Amino acid sequence: MNIPELIPVSSSNIESVGYDAENEFVFIKYTNQSIYVYKGVSQVEYENLLYAPSVGSYMHRNFKNVYPYERIS
């Protein structure tokens, strides 16, 4: 799985995020260096995450238990 360029975000738990538009994958790198991929996420939803006032809260409310995901590293 190719990880796209990750964009740093301001968050206490999330270091950076990236998007693979072709596959609709969102990649989230946490501050503990683990990387998760969330599948079937639209570009609009990714941009909402990227520009959310609280990236961690937005991810928790709108990604967890909504999109299938797996830890990839």
Side-chain angles (χ1 to χ4, degrees):
M1 182 174 299
N2 292 330
I3 299 173
E5 179 182 353
L6 299 178
I7 299 168
V9 294
S10 178
S11 171
S12 59
N13 294 319
I14 298 172
E15 183 177 295
S16 53
V17 299
Y19 189 65
D20 173 349
E22 184 177 330
N23 295 302
E24 294 192 319
F25 291 168
V26 169
F27 295 83
I28 297 181
K29 183 176 185 180
Y30 290 88
T31 54
N32 68 4
Q33 303 306 300
S34 63
I35 299 175
Y36 285 76
V37 59
Y38 290 79
K39 301 175 181 180
V41 182
S42 71
Q43 174 113 21
V44 169
E45 189 68 81
Y46 165 69
E47 290 172 0
N48 288 342
L49 171 72
L50 186 60
Y51 299 112
S54 171
V55 175
S57 292
Y58 190 91
M59 194 278 307
H60 189 75
R61 282 193 320 271
N62 298 286
F63 280 62
K64 287 196 172 185
N65 303 316
V66 175
Y67 298 105
Y69 66 91
E70 65 179 292
R71 183 174 178 168
I72 58 172
S73 85

